[in-house]
Amino acid sequence: MLNVKKKNELIQVKGSKFMYVWMAVFYLGGLISCLILIIDGFKFNSTYSLIYILGGIMLAPVFLYLTLWSLPAFNPGKILLTIILGENGKVFSKKGTVFINNIRSTDLVRNPINLINYIVIETFDEKRIKIPTYNLLSDLDYQVMVDQYLFPYMTENARKVWDRKIDLNILLKEVRYERQEQKIE
């Protein structure tokens, strides 16, 4: 579920509490499991001891790498991005600021090197802003956020592009989100 803090026309998007728990369990559980495998392997109580040692030694760097990339997400009160609604609305993040009516397209893209999802916003003036989500926003939460807060203030062409990317029937079925008909001029 989308974790949003609203103050009048200011919306702060934070990571889902469920995703915080999910990440902590995955990364810490992986590191602890590798350690247990290595320790149990060095006891040589089983015929699989060498496999335990090799598996633990091979997977420990992978989990450590992923954990180090995701550490900034565990900053308490982490705000992924801030949205100011309205005709002159903006999207703020540490990576930059974009006017909503200047957005050409927006995507949620996974980086193949660090496996972290990024919100990639392309503007009409050929600018690209990549906002790291640290996997705290699920795909459906991202789609609801864009459709609810950015879509009403996008240009007509950007709306058409967004409508081609999402399926409102899936959003209705999965997260019970229904697009509100708004007065768009």
Side-chain angles (χ1 to χ4, degrees):
M1 179 160 198
L2 189 61
N3 187 5
V4 173
K5 185 177 180 184
K6 296 180 183 178
K7 295 180 183 175
N8 297 332
E9 297 294 310
L10 183 81
I11 296 172
Q12 296 176 332
V13 179
K14 297 182 178 185
S16 166
K17 290 176 180 23
F18 172 77
M19 295 302 277
Y20 273 113
V21 172
W22 182 253
M23 282 178 49
V25 167
F26 178 75
Y27 294 133
L28 295 178
L31 284 172
I32 291 169
S33 298
C34 288
L35 239 137
I36 289 172
L37 281 174
I38 293 170
I39 291 170
D40 195 44
F42 278 120
K43 291 180 183 176
F44 293 105
N45 292 335
S46 171
T47 55
Y48 297 109
S49 293
L50 290 177
I51 294 174
Y52 294 168
I53 293 170
L54 287 175
I57 288 174
M58 288 173 56
L59 289 176
V62 172
F63 279 106
L64 185 62
Y65 174 79
L66 293 174
T67 304
L68 291 176
W69 268 103
S70 298
L71 275 180
F74 291 104
N75 187 6
K78 176 83 172 167
I79 296 172
L80 300 175
L81 60 112
T82 303
I83 302 170
I84 296 178
L85 299 177
E87 293 301 320
N88 295 323
K90 296 180 184 178
V91 177
F92 289 104
S93 76
K94 289 184 178 180
K95 298 294 180 178
T97 302
V98 176
F99 285 98
I100 295 174
N101 58 10
N102 194 24
I103 294 175
R104 179 189 306 162
S105 70
T106 177
D107 284 313
L108 188 66
V109 179
R110 183 175 299 275
N111 185 325
I113 295 172
N114 59 15
L115 302 178
I116 290 177
N117 286 336
Y118 288 84
I119 296 174
V120 178
I121 299 175
E122 295 179 12
T123 63
F124 285 112
D125 53 352
E126 303 302 322
K127 202 166 133 185
R128 286 184 71 176
I129 294 178
K130 292 174 69 174
I131 304 169
T133 65
Y134 302 104
N135 300 337
L136 294 174
L137 274 180
S138 69
D139 294 345
L140 293 175
D141 288 341
Y142 160 76
Q143 290 177 357
V144 169
M145 176 198 69
V146 172
D147 200 72
Q148 187 174 9
Y149 300 118
L150 300 181
F151 180 81
Y153 305 106
M154 288 179 169
T155 62
E156 189 62 34
N157 289 336
R159 284 190 211 125
K160 288 178 184 175
V161 170
W162 179 248
D163 278 335
R164 283 192 306 256
K165 289 181 183 180
I166 67 165
D167 187 358
L168 291 173
N169 293 327
I170 291 175
L171 288 179
L172 179 63
K173 189 183 342 175
E174 295 289 327
V175 293
R176 293 177 179 83
Y177 170 75
E178 192 170 353
R179 182 182 286 168
Q180 302 296 320
E181 295 299 325
Q182 299 174 352
K183 294 179 182 176
I184 303 171
E185 297 173 4

